[in-house]
Amino acid sequence: METNYSTLIITFGKSITELDEMFKDTEISGVSTLKERIDCYESTRFTQIGDHTAVITSEYNMEYALEWLQRNTPITEHRYV
């Protein structure tokens, strides 16, 4: 059985370390980093590749992960590869 994953390269307007601060002292789904938040979407993985940049892969939840990111983080660029 072939599995098709979507791959997104995303660049944030703040560093990922700064974005992790939004999870300090909160109870957002029991996560403490942006990576943990995105990885909560089933079949979705967040891999940091730079201070402001990450690669996100997802089998079927990319739409929801990107929607959450667009509502909650400053995105300067995103593109599917």
Side-chain angles (χ1 to χ4, degrees), residues 28-77:
I28 301 174
S29 303
V31 300
S32 60
T33 65
L34 181 57
K35 175 184 174 33
E36 288 177 0
R37 173 65 180 94
I38 298 304
D39 286 355
C40 284
Y41 289 97
E42 187 175 347
S43 84
T44 305
R45 294 298 167 258
F46 179 101
T47 304
Q48 184 173 344
I49 60 170
D51 291 338
H52 291 75
T53 308
V55 173
I56 301 172
T57 57
S58 183
E59 183 179 359
Y60 49 83
N61 278 317
M62 185 67 81
E63 175 185 344
Y64 304 108
L66 180 57
E67 181 182 310
W68 186 90
L69 287 165
Q70 289 172 321
R71 280 196 326 262
N72 295 286
T73 66
I75 296 172
T76 58
E77 180 182 10

Side-chain angles (χ1 to χ4, degrees), residues 1 4 6 9-10 17-18 21-22 24 26 29 31-32 36 46 48-50 53 62 65 71:
M1 184 171 117
N4 292 315
S6 296
I9 298 176
I10 190 162
T17 302
E18 289 176 275
E21 292 295 317
M22 79 170 85
K24 299 280 189 223
T26 64
S29 303
V31 300
S32 60
E36 288 177 0
F46 179 101
Q48 184 173 344
I49 60 170
T53 308
M62 185 67 81
R71 280 196 326 262

